[in-house]
């Protein structure tokens, strides 16, 4: 996000990317100050570098001693986990 922050600064927008919450606040501020086209470009630039979800077993090789990999930037959680309820998976089993 360093490149995004630098480009936004060149266009007169201060983007705080220290956390997802601060980025959200910065983008809300930009929305009030920028025209809709500039804001659209800022949103695209902020979200394009985000990685797709990575699903892994926390006890699996490479992850059991790496809780920093369990973070969820967008939700601002240090220890994020997700599971699918077996009840919701029932149709997949059939």
């Amino acid at each position: 996000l360093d490149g995004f922050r630098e480009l936004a600064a060149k266009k007169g927008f201060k983007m705080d990317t220290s956390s997802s919450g601060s980025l959200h606040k910065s983008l809300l501020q930009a929305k009030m100050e920028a025209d809709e086209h500039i804001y659209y470009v800022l949103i695209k630039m902020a979200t394009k570098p985000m990685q797709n979800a990575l699903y892994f077993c926390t006890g699996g090789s490479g992850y059991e001693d790496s809780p920093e990999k369990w973070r969820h930037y967008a939700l601002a959680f240090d220890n994020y986990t997700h599971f699918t309820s077996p009840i919701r998976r029932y149709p997949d089993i059939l």
Side-chain angles (χ1 to χ4, degrees), residues 1-76:
L1 289 173
D2 291 337
F4 163 69
R5 191 175 51 245
E6 291 169 10
L7 184 62
K10 287 180 184 178
K11 298 297 181 185
F13 299 100
K14 182 178 180 343
M15 294 289 149
D16 182 356
T17 58
S18 61
S19 71
S20 60
S22 59
L23 176 59
H24 178 72
K25 288 178 186 174
S26 296
L27 288 168
L28 287 177
Q29 183 66 35
K31 185 176 184 178
M32 293 189 302
E33 297 172 3
D35 72 35
E36 66 179 282
H37 301 292
I38 299 276
Y39 177 69
Y40 177 78
V41 170
L42 288 172
I43 290 293
K44 285 294 185 187
M45 291 180 63
T47 57
K48 188 168 178 73
M50 292 184 182
Q51 298 174 349
N52 289 333
L54 172 66
Y55 294 95
F56 61 90
C57 178
T58 56
S61 177
Y63 295 98
E64 68 275 6
D65 296 324
S66 304
E68 70 277 1
K69 294 180 180 178
W70 305 354
R71 294 193 77 241
H72 193 295
Y73 181 83
L75 296 178

